[in-house]
Amino acid sequence: MTELPARRLLLVHAHPDDESINNGATMARYAAEGARVTLVTCTLGERGEVIPPELRHLTGAALGEHRLRELTDAMAALGVGDFRLLGGVGRYGDSGMMGMADNDDPGCFWQAAVDEAATALAEVILEVRPQVVVAYDDNGGYGHPDHIQAHRVALRAVDFAAGAEAGGGWSVPKVYYNRVPRSVAETAFDRLREELPTLPFGKSAAVADVPGVVDDDRITTAIDGTAYAPAKAAAMRAHATQIEVAPGERYFALSNELAQPLFTTEYYELVRGEPVRDSGPGAQNRETDLFAGVEAGNEEVA
Ligand SMILES: [Zn+2]
């Protein structure tokens, strides 16, 4: 028998770098607090555009291999030891942006059978028994095929695990979507536009470029990761082919070179389970802990 840590968090992401951008502070915080943090990444992102000119020769499998090393470094920065590629390294290929011919590649994640991929993820859920799963919304946050597919696979895997007969199954008590409250995004972009002349990026992105932005009243949960801001920035820097973090670590850009705010409070919408809202000062009647209301127990598994 092995004893699992009392609190277990599983995150499902499409490409290496998504986890650090969306959840880097959350992951670092819970890892530091002794929770088991498990990341499942669905593809190696081998169709991503590369920022540093000296690395632009990397494409396809070579880029995938490089991005796996970046992911490894990012997880070291966050203190997360358990990260996996869905179905094993290289099982699912990056599908490219929506509408590209790459979407039709039979090996890409967009073409994967959702049930098969969800079966692979359900095995991880049954092993880890997370009380909290973090995923994207049904548009994948911003419409990228791999993000949409990651949403479908994550939600189906949660259902498969609950219905699994082996080991009695595992019902995940809380499932969240990655979110950013619209007012937070708007305020951050206002400040960004003022500070743009001091940044190494020529132009600002817009609120619409940020995945997962919704009206504030949909936000159930805010995780203050301010104390882990340096870890998040280091993790994002580790994804150097994809992300450039500005000095000061409050802004970053992707390969489109448009400046975006780097959020160190990370936001979520609880979509399965009951929110346990915090009525304390500054909490805005949101949850301040993903595990709020969850009975944490040291499960024994064979
Ligand atoms: Zn992505």
Side-chain angles (χ1 to χ4, degrees), residues 14-15 17-18 136 142 144 147:
H15 312 108
D17 80 351
D18 293 316
Y136 307 119
Y142 74 111
H144 189 296
H147 288 239

Side-chain angles (χ1 to χ4, degrees), residues 136-141 147-148 151-152 177 179:
Y136 307 119
D137 68 15
D138 57 2
N139 187 39
H147 288 239
I148 295 171
H151 158 85
R152 294 173 178 163
Y177 290 161
R179 290 298 191 202

Side-chain angles (χ1 to χ4, degrees), residues 243-256:
I243 302 173
E244 185 180 353
V245 178
E249 303 183 337
R250 286 164 52 233
Y251 302 101
F252 72 99
L254 302 172
S255 63
N256 59 16

